[in-house]
């Protein structure tokens, strides 16, 4: 497995977990933490790491807890939004960064929203790729049955052990097909999927990945309050799972926010249109 940018890969030991982190760029640059979603890992940022580092940013892209080579604590409580958000704060602290930028896709974007609402003094700038604010997603799905149907798998993943069995079958065929069927043709190569497959096959990884969804049923305080950090939302309008209205509803929570639409991009917009996404991120994060 090789990332295009050949960043430095290291295990960073934090108070609760150890995270596998791909890092690149000047150490005196703005710390920019890239947070992947399901079912990716730091490899999901292979089109962004070297470009952002080349723009002068100090990039850190962790495998989030439960994924690939990072720690995989047992129990769904370990995947509560507060716990995974604490990992990001602890990672920034390990680099000595008082403030930092966050770029998040999918679940990584949900963590980004949570961080910016909960710790506005730490998040300098927030960039979100196809990820609604978690409170917005819940309320919108209740009011719009079509959106609820689009994310039916959230409920399916709540069942213990059975989803793991189904997803692991035939060398993760369902997961490989899901990536290919929900993205543009040719977005994920055979080599890409092999890298993902190797990450999914790490001991305990599949359960850890699914526990992010299972932890949604745990009680958490609402963070539905203004996002003070300047925020960029980049959204692929051909996302089969998440309605563009989730982007506009999330934008209403931002004191300083804007949306950049990618009409032809899917949920995997940073893979579909990496140059467009990279240019938008560099322009926003360099301000």
């Amino acid at each position: 497995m090789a990332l295009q940018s050949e960043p430095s890969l290291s295990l960073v030991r934090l108070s609760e977990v150890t995270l596998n982190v791909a890092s690149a760029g000047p150490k005196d640059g703005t710390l920019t933490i890239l947070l992947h979603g399901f079912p990716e890992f730091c490899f999901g940022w292979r089109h962004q790491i070297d470009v952002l580092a080349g723009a002068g940013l100090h990039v850190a892209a962790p495998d989030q807890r439960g994924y690939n080579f990072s720690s995989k604590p047992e129990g769904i409580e370990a995947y509560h939004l507060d716990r995974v958000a604490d990992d990001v704060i602890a990672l920034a602290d390990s680099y000595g960064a008082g403030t930092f930028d966050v770029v998040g896709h999918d679940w990584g974007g949900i963590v980004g929203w949570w961080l910016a609402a909960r710790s506005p003094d730490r998040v300098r700038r927030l960039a979100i790729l196809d990820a609604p604010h978690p409170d917005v997603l819940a309320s919108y799905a209740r009011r719009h049955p079509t959106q609820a149907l689009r994310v039916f798998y959230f409920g399916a993943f709540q069942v213990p052990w059975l989803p793991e069995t189904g997803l692991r079958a035939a060398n993760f065929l369902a997961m490989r097909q899901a990536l290919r069927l929900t993205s543009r043709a040719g977005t994920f190569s055979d080599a890409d999927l092999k890298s993902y497959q190797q990450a999914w096959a790490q001991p305990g990884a599949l359960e850890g990945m699914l526990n992010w969804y299972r932890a949604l049923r745990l009680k958490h305080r609402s963070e539905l309050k203004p996002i003070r950090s300047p925020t960029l939302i980049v959204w692929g309008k051909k996302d089969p799972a998440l309605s563009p209205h989730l982007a506009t509803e999330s934008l209403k929570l931002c004191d300083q926010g804007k949306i950049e639409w990618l009409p032809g991009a899917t949920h995997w917009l940073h893979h579909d249109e990496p140059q467009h996404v990279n240019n938008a991120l560099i322009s926003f994060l360099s301000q």
Side-chain angles (χ1 to χ4, degrees), residues 73-85:
E74 296 182 358
I76 64 172
E77 295 83 3
Y79 298 86
H80 189 286
L81 269 176
D82 280 332
R83 302 284 287 279
V84 295

Side-chain angles (χ1 to χ4, degrees), residues 18-279:
T18 296
L19 299 182
N20 181 54
V21 182
S23 60
K27 298 298 187 289
D28 59 350
T30 301
L31 179 63
T32 304
I33 299 179
L34 311 183
L35 299 175
H36 66 81
F38 179 89
E40 300 200 89
F41 61 112
C42 66
F43 181 70
W45 298 109
R46 60 194 176 279
H47 303 298
Q48 282 71 50
I49 293 177
D50 56 342
V51 177
L52 296 181
L57 301 174
H58 180 195
V59 178
D63 295 336
Q64 297 206 73
R65 66 166 62 193
Y67 285 83
N68 196 34
F69 295 129
S70 288
S71 297
K72 303 166 185 67
E74 296 182 358
I76 64 172
E77 295 83 3
Y79 298 86
H80 189 286
L81 269 176
D82 280 332
R83 302 284 287 279
V84 295
D86 285 343
D87 289 346
V88 183
I89 296 292
L91 181 61
D93 289 344
S94 75
Y95 287 109
T99 61
F100 54 92
D101 292 344
V102 175
V103 180
H105 171 252
D106 188 76
W107 265 110
I110 289 176
V111 175
W113 284 117
W114 205 252
L115 277 167
R118 198 193 65 172
S119 304
D121 56 320
R122 301 299 302 272
V123 179
R124 190 188 75 99
R125 285 181 171 267
L126 175 66
I128 298 292
L129 312 182
D130 276 58
H133 187 289
D135 289 337
V136 166
L137 175 59
S139 62
Y140 187 85
R142 285 193 295 267
R143 291 181 283 113
H144 298 83
T146 301
Q147 177 57 64
L149 287 173
R150 287 183 174 192
V151 292
F152 73 93
Y153 57 92
F154 281 33
F157 286 167
Q158 300 301 314
V159 180
W161 69 262
L162 189 59
E164 283 92 329
T165 301
L167 293 177
R168 191 177 289 111
N171 293 321
F172 303 94
L173 177 62
M175 295 176 72
R176 288 185 281 123
Q177 287 292 88
L179 285 176
R180 280 196 158 147
L181 293 174
T182 59
S183 62
R184 285 181 179 174
T187 292
F188 295 103
S189 68
D190 290 340
D192 293 338
L193 294 177
K194 185 175 181 180
S195 293
Y196 286 116
Q197 186 176 333
Q198 290 171 348
W200 302 334
Q202 293 301 314
L206 199 52
E207 182 180 2
M209 292 159 63
L210 293 174
N211 277 344
W212 282 65
Y213 291 92
R214 292 165 180 157
L216 284 172
R217 64 178 184 259
L218 301 177
K219 290 183 178 180
H220 63 265
R221 65 180 183 272
S222 173
E223 296 291 355
L224 196 61
K225 55 188 179 184
I227 303 295
R228 301 208 312 257
S229 307
T231 303
L232 170 68
I233 302 172
V234 189
W235 204 275
K237 282 198 168 182
K238 291 190 175 180
D239 189 323
L242 300 172
S243 165
H245 294 294
L246 291 168
T248 55
E249 289 298 307
S250 297
L251 182 66
K252 294 176 182 178
L253 297 177
C254 302
D255 285 346
Q256 306 173 66
K258 64 178 181 177
I259 300 177
E260 184 156 343
W261 299 105
L262 275 63
T266 70
H267 182 69
W268 312 102
L269 66 170
H270 54 314
H271 302 284
D272 290 337
E273 299 188 19
Q275 184 173 353
H276 193 148
V277 170
N278 294 345
N279 289 342

